C-alpha cells in the first residue's frame, strides 16, 4: 500500500512539473479585439484578465501576469495599454483549463496591423 501511495505521489508531481514545462512551450498568436478587462483577486495575489473576441468571432479569456521564464515584468503596463474596443496581436503561452481556472498568459502585445 505504501508503494502505491508513493507511486501515485510521484506521478502527480511528475505530471504537474511536466505540464508546467509544456505550458511554456505551448505558444499561440491571436489577433483580438478587447471587449473587457478586470482584476481577479485571491487573497494577497491578483491577476489581470482580458476578455477578447478573436478573428473567428469566438470569445476567449486570457490572463496577463508576469512571467519569469519570458522575462516579462510589465503586466500592469500592458493591462493599462489594452483599451476596450481596440485590436491587438497578442502572443500567449500556456493552456486554458476551465476546471482549474487556468488561462493562456499574454507575454507580448503589438498593435494590430
Amino acid at each position: 500500500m505504501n508503494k502505491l501511495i508513493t507511486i501515485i505521489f510521484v506521478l502527480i508531481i511528475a505530471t504537474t512539473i511536466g505540464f508546467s514545462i509544456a505550458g511554456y512551450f505551448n505558444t499561440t498568436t491571436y489577433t483580438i479585439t478587447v471587449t473587457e478587462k478586470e482584476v481577479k483577486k485571491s487573497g494577497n495575489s491578483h491577476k489581470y484578465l482580458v476578455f477578447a473576441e478573436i478573428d473567428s468571432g469566438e470569445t476567449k479569456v486570457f490572463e496577463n501576469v508576469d512571467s519569469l521564464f519570458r522575462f516579462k515584468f510589465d503586466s500592469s503596463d500592458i493591462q493599462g495599454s489594452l483599451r476596450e474596443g481596440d485590436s491587438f496581436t497578442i502572443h500567449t503561452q500556456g493552456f486554458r483549463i476551465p476546471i482549474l481556472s487556468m488561462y493562456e498568459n499574454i507575454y507580448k502585445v503589438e498593435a494590430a496591423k
Side-chain angles (χ1 to χ4, degrees):
M1 184 68 166
N2 285 339
K3 283 186 177 184
L4 179 60
I5 291 172
T6 303
I7 291 171
I8 291 172
F9 181 74
V10 168
L11 286 175
I12 290 171
I13 297 296
T15 302
T16 302
I17 292 170
F19 183 74
S20 296
I21 291 169
Y24 287 107
F25 294 103
N26 182 47
T27 59
T28 309
T29 301
Y30 298 96
T31 300
I32 65 163
T33 301
V34 177
T35 58
E36 189 178 344
K37 305 183 307 181
E38 73 176 50
V39 179
K40 185 176 183 180
K41 295 181 181 180
S42 177
N44 289 335
S45 67
H46 69 278
K47 67 172 123 180
Y48 297 114
L49 295 180
V50 177
F51 300 84
E53 184 176 300
I54 62 175
D55 280 344
S56 66
E58 179 185 357
T59 301
K60 292 186 81 71
V61 182
F62 303 95
E63 70 180 7
N64 173 25
V65 297
D66 291 341
S67 174
L68 176 65
F69 293 106
R70 291 276 179 191
F71 298 105
K72 176 193 166 206
F73 306 103
D74 59 350
S75 297
S76 295
D77 295 332
I78 289 174
Q79 193 74 3
S81 72
L82 298 173
R83 303 273 183 235
E84 292 180 14
D86 288 352
S87 295
F88 301 92
T89 299
I90 62 169
H91 304 270
T92 66
Q93 70 181 33
F95 301 98
R96 171 68 173 123
I97 303 175
I99 196 164
L100 299 176
S101 292
M102 291 177 62
Y103 304 92
E104 294 176 70
N105 185 31
I106 298 170
Y107 68 85
K108 184 176 178 185
V109 176
E110 303 164 338
K113 298 174 182 168

